[in-house]
Amino acid sequence: MTWDYLIVGAGFAGTVLAERLASQCGARCLVVDRRDHVGGNAHDHYDAAGVLLHTYGPHYFRTNSQRIIDYLSQFTEWHPVDYQILSWTHGRFWQFPINLNTFEQLLDRASTEEEMASTLAEWRLPILEPKNSEEVILSQVGHRLYEMFFENYTRKQWRREPSQLDASVCGRIPIRTNRDDRYLSEKFQALPKEGYSAMFARMLRHPNIEVRLGADYRAERANIKFKHLIYTGPIDEYFDHCYGPLPYRSLRFESETLDQEFFQPAMQVNYPNDHDYTRIVELKHATGQKLPVTTIVREYPEDFGPGKEPYYPVPAPDARKLYERYAALADVEKGVSFVGRLATYRYYNMDQVVGMALAEFEKLKAALPANAWPETSVQAVPAVEL
Ligand code: FAD
Ligand code: UDP
């Protein structure tokens, strides 16, 4: 048979498009993913001890978009969380992101918003338009706090100087003079109540959608007939690295189950200056699971290479220049949509990827002739256990 859409990747980008095209247009969608599960990097699972873990690092859902909340709420209920993290350096835990509590820890006495604001005004460097991740922090808090919390964490995570990364990388982290101690600032912060994998399974459970797991597009494409391709994998791989490989950062996750209810005082502790790992995540704090045991995950940044996952595009001018050459090829590639974090080489959060996929859906739908697939409004496709 000829599929209306072949969708490469069952992460947020591919899944949202499959769900929309199948349910709203009656299109027949084949989703392939080379991993053995759906959800992409947002996949979660229960480990041997019964602890719910985010398989590829902590995925804290947050958004300011009511449209995206409404869309995903068709497939999940939510467990609200105020994501809270700490930073460990100089032999103690610090409130992080930097706020009035952090400032009081630094002074070792009580303070006020006014005192913090006037002190930061003295400490910060007069950089009006920060051009990189070093400048964006120095322009807000000056050298002392930059060196304590940002400089070495960023070097460890990216194996680059902060000055060689876009301002948006460290600029993601809020800096506050009040006592708001949430890691993120978006108005909606919650996890899918039964986990991401359950949500993805619901999104893909449609008679017009077939999912093939452990299936690599490059190996399968010769045997699949389709009208339009939706590609959510790495863009340089799609074009056989013809301009050379794009840089990515990879990670190694080491988990440890402990016979105690909790290991650390917060869901996530960052280690800017100690150890080879950047953070220890104890997701149980966020999921609210009640168990006598716990599992922690240490996250080690690694270079990308054979056998490694391309977790992070590198937000930097040199990488963007190379990406733009690939983007120019993508622009003239007929019958293909490039969607998602890897296909558009953007350090995007989940909600931004959902937004991008919904926008692409509107574009594809608008381009369809009226009543595009009258004969195929519901196709019997074998159900897949996801
Ligand atoms: P992906 O989830 O990467 O999905 C792409 C899929 O395509 C993959 O499953 C891959 O196997 C498949 N694929 C690629 N090539 C092929 C091929 N040739 N054949 C078959 N399949 C292929 N976002 C947040 O909002 N909050 C967070 O807290 C957060 N934390 C994160 C932590 C880490 C460590 C990482 C890496 C990311 C984090 N993100 C977070 C970002 C989030 O993971 C992404 O925004 C989102 O998952 C991207 O979805 P996607 O569909 O674009 O890509
Ligand atoms: N960062 C840092 N110190 C920290 C936390 C973050 O320097 O304690 C910097 C680092 O460069 C990191 C970026 O801010 O890559 C974004 O952090 P975030 O926690 O959002 O990273 P993610 O969860 O996307 O890996």
Side-chain angles (χ1 to χ4, degrees), residues 3 14 99 131 201 233 356 374:
W3 295 92
N99 70 3
K131 285 184 294 300
M356 190 194 278

Side-chain angles (χ1 to χ4, degrees), residues 216-237:
D216 194 312
Y217 161 67
R218 287 165 309 171
E220 306 281 329
R221 64 185 156 190
N223 307 320
I224 302 171
K225 288 203 203 114
F226 57 90
K227 296 177 191 161
H228 187 92
L229 180 69
I230 293 172
Y231 182 82
T232 77
I235 188 166
D236 53 340
E237 191 182 301

Side-chain angles (χ1 to χ4, degrees), residues 40 48 81 100 141 156-157 187 226 242 254 257 263-264 320 325 371 379:
V81 196
L100 180 54
V141 297
K156 209 180 337 181
Q157 169 73 6
K187 70 171 190 198
F226 57 90
C242 63
E254 275 187 16
T257 298
F263 166 77
Q264 61 189 24
R320 195 164 35 256
R325 297 186 71 194
N371 207 10
Q379 282 284 313

